[in-house]
Amino acid sequence: MKYLLAKSKGLEGIEELLQSQKELILQQILLLTDFKKTIDHKHFKKIIYGGLLHLEADLKWLEYIKDE
């Protein structure tokens, strides 16, 4: 949302905002992936997998709006 509003107003630093958000999401994906490897409980693994899917969707959305 911040990106789209900033872009519509012609504000500077938009690309940096997008890049920092992507980096944050990638860090979270790596952390959750590593954490998932340490869990033996199948229900917790499913919850973590769901979180990973949401993060991947966020990453794809950022790529989509960047190309707009």
Side-chain angles (χ1 to χ4, degrees):
M1 184 62 132
K2 290 178 188 177
Y3 174 79
L4 295 175
L5 289 173
K7 190 172 181 177
S8 72
K9 296 291 183 184
L11 299 177
E12 294 182 18
I14 298 171
E15 295 303 319
E16 290 81 10
L17 174 67
L18 190 63
Q19 185 61 35
S20 67
Q21 190 64 32
K22 285 173 61 175
E23 289 172 7
L24 179 63
I25 290 171
L26 287 171
Q27 287 174 345
Q28 292 171 339
I29 287 173
L30 290 173
L31 284 172
L32 270 182
T33 300
D34 288 343
F35 182 60
K36 185 179 171 192
K37 293 174 186 176
T38 68
I39 301 296
D40 285 334
H41 196 278
K42 68 179 182 177
H43 296 302
F44 288 142
K45 280 190 174 191
K46 288 180 181 181
I47 292 169
I48 293 169
Y49 181 68
L52 286 167
L53 289 175
H54 280 277
L55 289 168
E56 289 174 15
D58 288 345
L59 199 56
K60 287 181 182 180
W61 186 77
L62 288 175
E63 285 296 320
Y64 171 75
I65 63 170
K66 183 183 93 172
D67 294 337
E68 286 289 309

